[in-house]
Amino acid sequence: MGFAVADAARERGWEVDLISGPVTLEVKSGVRQTFVETADEMLAACLDIFASCDFMIMAAAVCDHKPALVAKSKLKKGEMSTILELEQTPDILTELGRRKASGQNLVGFAAETNDCLSNGERKLREKNLDWIVVNDVSLPECGFASDFNEVTLLGRNGEIVPIDLSPKLEVARILLERIDS
Ligand code: C5P
């Protein structure tokens, strides 16, 4: 959805920065792209631009954990534990929610498989968001690895805006129209 949102934002005439992992998807010309590989790099890239953003829309499915130890050179079979120790990555959206200034709009996504609206509502509050896009990824044709999506937009003032199954670009257009009105 991030690339569809970037395209729809360019259509509206917004100045757009897109921070993403190393993907092969293409965006409309005029979108400034920054590629990152880790959650720490994405946090740094987001913090670099956040103060100058009117809208920050976080659609990335950031990995929640990373290996606790990274070896400098190849490990031999016998040197490796069969249990991989993990630690948590930073929650970028929560960090941005802490830093949000008045007038800035922070939008998150919640990919859920159960209790979608109540989970989305909780994340909206916990992460100090203005809007959250709740995505039931258990539905066919929705979310990951699909050109279509069907979502519900929840607002901090109790707004509930269902967006029917449509191509992702169309979902992104409706989403931006709603949050920028
Ligand atoms: O809590 P959960 O990971 O489901 O929240 C999803 C939202 O949080 C998405 O907007 C995602 O981009 C963001 N996120 C983040 N940093 C993480 C994990 C998720 O900003 N480490």
Side-chain angles (χ1 to χ4, degrees), residues 4 10 20 24 50 67 69 95 131 140 164:
R10 274 304 290 163
S20 85
T24 54
F50 186 51
L69 288 172
E95 287 299 326
W131 297 94
D164 293 340

Side-chain angles (χ1 to χ4, degrees), residues 61-76:
V62 185
C63 191
D64 288 321
H65 297 91
K66 61 183 177 183
L69 288 172
V70 178
K72 289 201 174 64
S73 54
K74 184 182 170 188
L75 296 177
K76 300 277 178 265

Side-chain angles (χ1 to χ4, degrees), residues 43-132:
L43 172 64
C46 289
L47 292 179
D48 272 353
I49 62 165
F50 186 51
S52 65
C53 292
D54 298 314
F55 288 86
M56 188 82 167
I57 303 171
M58 287 289 297
V62 185
C63 191
D64 288 321
H65 297 91
K66 61 183 177 183
L69 288 172
V70 178
K72 289 201 174 64
S73 54
K74 184 182 170 188
L75 296 177
K76 300 277 178 265
K77 229 176 264 174
E79 296 170 344
M80 277 191 68
S81 163
T82 50
I83 297 168
L84 186 60
E85 270 195 52
L86 299 175
E87 60 186 38
Q88 281 198 328
T89 54
D91 192 305
I92 302 164
L93 202 46
T94 301
E95 287 299 326
L96 299 178
R98 286 193 189 119
R99 290 168 162 81
K100 190 173 64 166
S102 92
Q104 283 189 302
N105 294 276
L106 188 56
V107 184
F109 273 67
E112 304 291 338
T113 55
N114 56 285
D115 304 319
C116 301
L117 293 184
S118 56
N119 282 326
E121 173 74 19
R122 179 177 49 75
K123 286 176 188 177
L124 178 78
R125 307 271 160 233
E126 283 177 0
K127 300 190 186 209
N128 190 25
L129 309 180
D130 299 286
W131 297 94
I132 194 157

